[in-house]
Amino acid sequence: MDRITRSALLNASAGRVGKRMDTLLVPLELLCAVSRTDFPDRKAYVRWEKRQVNVLEEGLLNYPSIRLEATDYRVAELRTLFAKLEEAEGLPSPAGPAQHAESLRAIRNVALALAERASRGDQTGEVCHWADGYHLNVRLYERLLCSVFDILDEGKLVEEVDEIMELLKSTWRILGMTQTIHDVCYTWVLFRQFVLTGENGLLEHASLQMKRIATDSQRSPQERFYMKTLRSSKEGPEGGQELTFVESILGPIKQWVDKHMEDYHAHFTDASGMEALMTLAMVAGRLLADEKDQTGVMRMTSAAEMAAVAKQAEDYVLSSAKSAFDRALKEVDAKCEVENEHPLALLAVDVESLVKKDVSLFAPVISRWHPHVIPFSASLYHNFYQKELKPFLDGVSVLTDDVASVLPAADSLEQYLMGLVMSASTEKDVIFYKEQLKAFQVEEVSSTLTMRWVNMQLSRVSEWVDRTLHQEKWEPLSNQQRHGGSIVEVFRIMEETVDQFFNLKLPMRIPVLKSLMSGLDNALQLYSNRVVNQLGVKLDLVPPPPGLTRYGKETSIKTFTKKRTADPRLPDERRGSQLNLLTVSTLCVRLNTLHYILNQVNILEDNIKRCWLIKQPQASKPGDKSFSGISTAFDPTRKVINTGIDKICEFLGMKVIFWDLREPFIEGLYKGGISESGINHVTGSLDSVLGQICEIIVEPLRDRVVLGLLQASLDGMIRVLIDGGPTRFFSQTDANVLENDLAALKELFMADGEGLPRGVVDNMSARVKQIIDLYRKDVKIDPFYPSLYICCSFHLFGG
């Protein structure tokens, strides 16, 4: 090939004695001087001929020093002749050689006119040769650089790449190359090969090569002057634009990278290659900005450069996030028809998956240039979704299936995005990004709808309490379930309400839950208070005290013999019938029912806590105070129930002693003398009542009920001793008998260690013991007024 080329060039220059050799149209001369017989086979000649035609086309048509007008007829004519020359190689002899020779003659006529053209118009007479510009030289050097790629694997570099680079340096002087031009051209070649093959290794090589491109300040004065002479123009929508050599090469690279990075969600399934591409974009941006210095624009400071890099990364995130969101928006329209879900609910799920992918895949790469990419990206998606959600929320007025589907998904998305926003490095950054957000207002809408539902359900629970209490007979359900049936129904409806509440699947906050629990607590308090209030006033059980016997100095003892009028303090007949219905059995069932509430409240509370933890897992985190509100929500009910149990126990004791056993105890005890009507006349009845109580009452309440009965018994005994009326008379000698009766009463309630503790019984009977001790006192007293004196003494001693 070297021999053939030298021989052809010598023949072409034989008639050019005294003329410049570099003005030869070398490819054309070679085509005319070299024949097919100079090659070992036809295929080699065709390849060589094609290469020469390509060089002619590059220099004369594609990259001439002076651009041809698009309307120049010679462009189309020359391309046609090139096609005929190629066609001649396929024609048989003699047509093929004849067409070949004719095409070469025609090409020479057109090519020579194009090779030398007036550079500045006809007035100067200056001629610009076809090879005088750097466009063709750069194109040729670019083709030489392509030799670094492996023919068998175009995505790899050959092992001899360093040797090839040293060899190519020998062409720099001929082609007008400099180190900067070489670096720019090599970057372009590597990048273009990456685009063609998709091999990320080439992208990394291109990125490293681009970093070697010297800025204008680092070039020698000669190179800076030379680089300023290399200019090109670019036509665009806004008109023509003049570019430097660096801008003409790096500009398209930057545009290609920008196009891909502005929608990196679509172009990258993983982060491989993304970091190198981002590096390429940022370095290209800095170099292009440095090129502005040649036109007199001051170069950016390092701080301004960092801000520009962050702004570029931010623009990428904004553009790509918007594109990804728009695609997701289109996809949910098709998915909702298949999955029968509201588009906004599906969109929220897709966006959350999209953001998670950003956080795990793309954010680690982009954070090198934008440290707050995660909160920034989260704020973008938040605003994108908010614009789609707002019209839907504005139209929400009732709880529908669509609302129950969209609100939880939107709330979950907002909670996740807000968590990412809060991950910003400083409080100032958190405030900045939060100011960019417009809240979904899901919580407000959900709270309104949920509160309406809660109020409706609580009203239903209250109605159920009224209905069940009205129907309650206060009979035990069974031997094992010794409480009323009404409370079972009340808790059933409450449990249904709680289950329905958590099955709403709406976003909930602790105030809504507290409202529900407060309503349930009020319903239980209402139930408990009505159970207690049904008993009436315990004073109705206590008969009025007997009239006092009057005493005068001149008159003898007189008793009222006139017929007494009805005492207004005595209960009427209707009230008496009601009191008769309040048997020991029904009162014990009431007590069991209240105790059942205490147990079930704990179960209900635990169930609510469990469901709340499932719905709000963050409630279990340290520092969360929501549990404190849940754990104390039913405390008012517990307090009311314990108070109610005390009242019923007290009422039960008073009912037994002052109503059921009024005749043998209050009216008959010690009547007509201690020996005739002692305590043994009533202990049998009391023992029977205690047996009945222990048979019905639940074990945890047994001592409290028996304690109430003991208190009432002691109160009844005090009533007999100090306000027994004219039918009772006690002497000093009766004190021992009275004390024995008190001991018998105490033994009855202690039940040989199986009843109340001795200490409790002793403490409660201390008052009675004090009164009995008064009877032992040796005092002079009118025998007809012992009760009056003892009563006064009792009060004086603090009884």
Side-chain angles (χ1 to χ4, degrees), residues 80-216:
T80 302
L81 292 173
F82 288 154
K84 285 186 176 182
L85 185 66
E86 184 178 0
E87 181 185 3
E89 296 301 327
L91 297 176
S93 181
Q99 183 172 324
H100 185 273
E102 183 181 352
S103 298
L104 283 177
R105 283 193 299 271
I107 289 173
R108 176 179 290 276
N109 293 334
V110 180
L112 289 176
L114 290 176
E116 297 182 359
R117 281 173 278 173
S119 61
R120 300 181 183 176
D122 296 336
Q123 298 177 356
T124 62
E126 295 182 7
V127 174
C128 178
H129 191 260
W130 74 294
D132 285 347
Y134 79 95
H135 305 81
L136 177 61
N137 296 354
V138 169
R139 180 65 170 164
L140 292 173
Y141 190 67
E142 176 190 333
R143 298 305 303 166
L144 292 174
L145 286 171
C146 289
S147 61
V148 301
F149 301 116
D150 194 333
I151 297 177
L152 299 178
D153 187 355
E154 295 182 347
K156 305 292 183 183
L157 299 177
V158 296
E159 295 181 359
E160 301 84 358
V161 62
D162 294 333
E163 290 82 352
I164 292 175
M165 288 301 169
E166 288 297 325
L167 181 62
L168 293 182
K169 281 187 177 181
S170 63
T171 67
W172 285 16
R173 183 178 181 84
I174 300 172
L175 297 175
M177 295 293 109
T178 66
Q179 184 66 50
T180 300
I181 296 177
H182 163 77
D183 291 337
V184 173
C185 288
Y186 193 30
T187 298
W188 168 257
V189 169
L190 291 170
F191 179 77
R192 186 184 62 180
Q193 197 71 4
F194 155 72
V195 173
L196 294 175
T197 63
E199 183 60 47
N200 289 327
L202 294 177
L203 181 61
E204 294 176 1
H205 283 298
S207 178
L208 293 173
Q209 187 63 38
M210 183 179 287
K211 292 178 181 179
R212 298 173 183 172
I213 298 175
T215 60
D216 186 61

Side-chain angles (χ1 to χ4, degrees), residues 61-77:
L61 302 180
N62 296 337
Y63 297 98
S65 178
I66 299 176
R67 187 179 59 181
L68 290 171
E69 297 295 333
T71 57
D72 195 324
Y73 72 93
R74 291 174 295 183
V75 176
E77 184 180 0

Side-chain angles (χ1 to χ4, degrees), residues 2-22:
D2 181 67
R3 180 185 58 78
I4 293 172
T5 302
R6 288 177 182 273
S7 175
L9 291 179
L10 285 173
N11 292 333
S13 61
R16 297 179 62 84
V17 179
K19 294 183 180 180
R20 290 175 53 190
M21 286 297 294
D22 59 357

Side-chain angles (χ1 to χ4, degrees), residues 274-280 282-283 306-307 309-314 364-372:
M274 183 176 177
E275 183 172 356
L277 204 62
M278 282 280 289
T279 302
L280 202 69
M282 298 307 176
V283 175
M306 291 177 62
V309 167
K311 180 63 170 61
Q312 179 67 79
E314 194 170 283
V365 175
I366 303 175
S367 60
R368 285 187 53 194
W369 294 273
H370 194 299
H372 299 147

Side-chain angles (χ1 to χ4, degrees), residues 559-722:
T559 59
F560 290 98
T561 58
K562 294 182 0 179
K563 185 178 180 181
R564 294 184 179 183
T565 58
D567 194 317
R569 291 173 293 179
L570 290 172
D572 57 19
E573 184 177 349
R574 180 181 178 184
R575 176 56 179 159
S577 300
Q578 292 175 348
L579 290 174
N580 288 330
L581 294 176
L582 296 174
T583 63
V584 172
S585 175
T586 59
L587 291 174
C588 286
V589 172
R590 280 179 167 87
L591 288 169
N592 292 342
T593 302
L594 294 184
H595 183 264
Y596 178 82
I597 294 176
L598 288 178
N599 291 334
Q600 291 301 117
V601 159
N602 295 333
I603 297 174
L604 181 63
E605 187 177 83
D606 292 340
N607 183 45
I608 291 175
K609 287 181 181 179
R610 179 182 57 80
C611 294
W612 183 250
L613 280 179
I614 294 174
K615 198 168 189 67
Q616 300 286 350
Q618 67 273 14
S620 60
K621 296 179 180 178
D624 190 276
K625 299 181 179 179
S626 61
F627 263 11
S628 61
I630 297 177
S631 300
T632 59
F634 290 107
D635 283 356
T637 290
R638 295 184 177 96
K639 183 178 180 181
V640 168
I641 288 176
N642 280 300
T643 302
I645 289 175
D646 290 339
K647 289 182 177 180
I648 296 179
C649 288
E650 184 180 0
F651 185 89
L652 188 149
M654 297 288 290
K655 168 71 166 45
V656 171
I657 300 301
F658 289 88
W659 187 268
D660 296 342
L661 302 181
R662 175 181 295 183
E663 183 174 349
F665 201 128
I666 303 303
E667 296 179 359
L669 184 63
Y670 304 137
K671 184 176 182 180
I674 291 179
S675 59
E676 298 179 3
S677 55
I679 196 68
N680 59 330
H681 289 81
V682 295
T683 53
S685 300
L686 279 176
D687 187 55
S688 176
V689 171
L690 286 171
Q692 185 181 5
I693 289 174
C694 293
E695 183 180 349
I696 300 176
I697 203 72
V698 293
E699 184 65 25
L701 295 181
R702 190 196 67 173
D703 286 353
R704 294 175 69 175
V705 178
V706 174
L707 199 64
L709 184 58
L710 172 61
Q711 181 65 57
S713 300
L714 295 173
D715 288 343
M717 196 169 185
I718 291 173
R719 163 70 179 263
V720 170
L721 292 177
I722 66 174

